[in-house]
């Protein structure tokens, strides 16, 4: 008989945590109609046997895989071998507090297609994480926000604790790698309404972590494969090409103006060089802003264009953002050349690098928040 909620839990040597986990889930969920489907990769410590022995007491079952291994594929296996209208995915080691499942279900009942238990929304967090793990976790999120726009609305796309409506997943073809199953589900599933609920990532109760450096490499490979599938890889390459063309226009035009067209180069010995050199720089910056805009508009983001009058408005917005970068470039170039006497063609390339960094950070804030 089909249940309305299927909770999928991948396990590998988690015997020490199962009894506590089953009890807490039951306490949190009953009298709801639920089942827990454990997908165990042939654990050596008797995890599957223990689950079996508890199945008289709670609505549990275990699928043992002998051929295949891996967290993400185990979760898919569990999704395919269950039929609850709502699917919940979580870890077995009690780092995902079972009590939070009810918050996820409430979010789904209030209209979300997918609800994510998040460490990075207000009220969420993690206990006792070292600095290195925190940085890796943040870095992974920044990368996914940058390279996979579909993950941008979610603050914690790396979470392994979430719930979704099965119909919303449709017949998405899932082919994940490594650990980050939510990424795959979010991108292939194309959910409309997303919700995040806070939770504190607890310390592991018993057993050992299976997370290792290989998983970080797997993550990068997975990211790359998702970028290819979504077409974002090609877009990212185009974006970098346009950025590089902007640097060439900016730097090249300054060189043309000051070496061939009669503008005096930026120079701290001749006062006439300050005004003229800065004017040459301003003309070069503005020209590169416009060429960058047009190339992004008709090349990088061609598929996202909304034609018509909004073009000018977008150009204006883009220009305002980049003018701040331009002022930074002029400031840095003047500081290096006028104050410290650095040769103008060197200080300008350094100044362009600083401004590019600024433009990137600001755009990331405004466009990808
Ligand atoms: N079926 C299956 N489950 C796995 C596999 N690797 C990990 N798991 C389970 O996936 C969940 C998450 O794994 P953990 O090792 O706790 O990973 P983590 O929570 O990111 O790392 P820690 O904070 O160190 O615990 C746990 O329930 C594991 O038992 C696997 O290869 N196959
Ligand atoms: Mg864990």
């Amino acid at each position: 008989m089909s249940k309305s909620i299927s909770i999928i839990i991948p396990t590998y040597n988690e015997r020490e945590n199962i009894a506590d986990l089953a009890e807490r889930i039951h306490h949190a969920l009953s009298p709801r109609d639920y089942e827990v489907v454990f997908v165990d990769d042939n654990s050596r410590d008797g995890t599957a046997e223990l689950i079996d022995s508890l199945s008289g007491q709670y609505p549990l079952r275990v699928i043992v895989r002998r051929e295949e291994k891996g967290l993400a594929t185990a979760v898919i296996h569990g999704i395919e071998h269950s039929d609850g209208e709502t699917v919940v995915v979580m870890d077995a080691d009690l780092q995902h507090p079972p009590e939070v499942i009810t918050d996820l279900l409430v979010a789904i009942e209030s209209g979300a297609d997918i609800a994510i238990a998040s460490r990075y929304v207000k009220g969420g967090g993690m206990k006792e994480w070292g600095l290195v793990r925190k940085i890796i976790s943040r870095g992974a999120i920044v990368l996914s926000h940058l390279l996979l726009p579909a993950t941008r609305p979610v603050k914690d796309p790396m979470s392994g604790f979430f719930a979704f409506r099965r119909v919303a997943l449709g017949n998405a073809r899932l082919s994940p790698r490594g650990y980050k199953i939510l990424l795959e589900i979010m991108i292939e599933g194309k959910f409309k309404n997303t919700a995040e609920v806070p939770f504190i990532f607890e310390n592991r109760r018993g057993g050992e972590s299976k997370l290792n450096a290989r998983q970080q490499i797997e993550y990068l490979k997975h990211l790359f494969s998702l970028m290819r599938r979504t077409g974002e890889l090609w877009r990212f390459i185009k974006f970098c090409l346009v950025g590089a063309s902007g640097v060439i226009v900016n730097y090249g035009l300054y060189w043309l103006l000051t070496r061939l067209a009669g503008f005096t180069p930026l120079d701290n010995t001749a006062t006439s060089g300050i005004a003229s050199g800065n004017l040459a720089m301003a003309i070069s910056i503005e020209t590169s802003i416009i060429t960058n805009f047009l190339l992004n508009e008709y090349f990088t983001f061609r598929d996202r264009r909304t034609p018509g009058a909004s073009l000018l408005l977008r150009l204006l917005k883009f220009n305002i953002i980049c003018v701040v970068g331009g002022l930074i470039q002029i400031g840095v170039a003047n500081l290096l050349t006028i104050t410290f006497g650095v040769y103008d063609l060197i200080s300008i390339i350094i100044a362009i690098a600083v401004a590019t960094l600024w433009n990137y950070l600001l755009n990331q804030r405004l466009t990808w928040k």
Side-chain angles (χ1 to χ4, degrees):
M1 204 186 77
S2 84
K3 298 276 182 181
S4 62
I5 303 161
S6 296
I7 303 174
I8 314 297
I9 307 184
T11 55
Y12 188 67
N13 293 343
E14 297 288 358
R15 186 189 160 85
E16 288 174 45
N17 299 309
I18 299 298
D20 216 6
L21 177 69
E23 208 279 318
R24 279 175 62 183
I25 291 178
H26 196 64
H27 191 254
L29 265 76
S30 66
R32 288 180 197 253
D33 176 40
Y34 78 95
E35 64 164 352
V36 185
V37 180
F38 289 92
V39 184
D40 186 70
D41 284 354
N42 211 8
S43 296
R44 305 273 165 227
D45 68 346
T47 301
E49 291 76 4
L50 178 63
I51 296 167
D52 261 338
S53 75
L54 290 172
S55 62
Q57 215 173 328
Y58 307 109
L60 315 177
R61 62 189 166 96
V62 59
I63 302 170
V64 178
R65 298 196 305 172
R66 290 175 211 284
E67 257 87 76
E68 222 179 336
K69 278 212 176 317
L71 191 156
T73 58
V75 171
I76 308 273
H77 194 88
I79 295 172
E80 284 168 354
H81 292 83
S82 64
D83 59 3
E85 268 168 57
T86 303
V87 180
V88 178
V89 176
M90 68 188 293
D91 290 354
D93 56 4
L94 297 168
Q95 289 183 301
H96 296 156
E99 296 69 32
V100 176
I101 299 173
T102 32
D103 300 338
L104 293 173
L105 295 176
V106 167
I108 297 281
E109 283 152 14
S110 320
D113 296 316
I114 185 163
I116 293 148
S118 172
R119 295 161 292 185
Y120 296 109
V121 294
K122 199 162 176 282
M126 43 251 162
K127 282 209 177 132
E128 280 179 30
W129 266 24
L131 187 64
V132 173
R133 190 159 180 196
K134 276 192 182 147
I135 291 174
I136 291 177
S137 168
R138 279 285 183 185
I141 293 175
V142 168
L143 268 187
S144 98
H145 282 171
L146 178 65
L147 302 176
L148 297 170
T151 66
R152 283 176 200 159
V154 177
K155 294 223 159 54
D156 195 356
M158 302 298 137
S159 177
F161 190 12
F162 53 93
F164 61 89
R165 294 191 314 115
R166 190 183 290 271
V167 284
L169 184 63
N171 0 331
R173 283 196 13 243
L174 305 172
S175 53
R177 311 177 64 115
Y179 258 46
K180 302 304 174 194
I181 179 63
L182 175 59
L183 273 189
E184 182 78 22
I185 287 182
M186 263 174 50
I187 284 169
E188 294 293 341
K190 302 184 178 73
F191 297 93
K192 278 199 208 78
N193 304 315
T194 312
E196 271 182 285
V197 305
F199 88 106
I200 306 279
F201 194 80
E202 294 286 337
N203 297 327
R204 195 172 235 290
R205 277 298 163 77
E208 277 170 26
S209 170
K210 285 99 206 166
L211 187 70
N212 52 34
R214 226 191 76 205
Q215 296 305 336
Q216 322 295 353
I217 309 278
E218 284 296 318
Y219 169 64
L220 294 179
K221 288 186 184 164
H222 190 199
L223 206 63
F224 189 74
S225 129
L226 285 169
M227 279 179 80
R228 267 200 8 214
R229 274 185 266 158
T230 53
E232 288 303 323
L233 182 63
W234 182 221
R235 194 195 300 284
F236 186 70
I237 292 171
K238 285 175 173 173
F239 191 74
C240 293
L241 286 175
V242 171
S245 82
V247 172
I248 293 171
V249 169
N250 189 346
Y251 194 59
L253 190 57
Y254 174 83
W255 183 87
L256 274 177
L257 290 173
T258 54
R259 293 337 192 241
L260 298 180
F263 282 77
T264 317
L266 201 61
D267 184 357
N268 70 346
T269 51
T271 41
S272 66
I274 299 181
S276 166
N278 276 317
L279 182 62
M281 214 175 351
I283 294 170
S284 313
I285 291 169
E286 185 54 32
T287 309
S288 70
I289 291 175
I290 292 171
T291 56
N292 264 11
F293 177 79
L294 291 176
L295 283 170
N296 274 328
E297 186 73 14
Y298 292 100
F299 179 58
T300 319
F301 296 107
R302 195 191 172 88
D303 54 327
R304 291 209 201 145
R305 279 185 58 230
T306 38
S310 57
L311 181 85
L312 274 178
L313 228 67
R314 275 202 304 280
L315 172 62
L316 196 69
K317 190 176 150 201
F318 183 78
N319 217 330
I320 289 170
I321 293 176
C322 295
V323 157
V324 179
L327 290 175
I328 289 177
Q329 181 188 325
I330 290 178
V332 172
N334 278 277
L335 182 76
L336 291 175
T337 298
I338 307 302
T339 313
F340 295 111
V342 178
Y343 181 55
D344 69 328
L345 290 181
I346 293 180
S347 68
I348 284 173
I349 199 77
I350 296 171
I352 290 178
V354 177
T356 305
L357 190 70
W358 168 266
N359 277 344
Y360 167 73
L361 290 177
L362 202 76
N363 272 307
Q364 161 135 315
R365 272 268 146 134
L366 293 179
T367 327
W368 300 322
K369 57 182 180 227

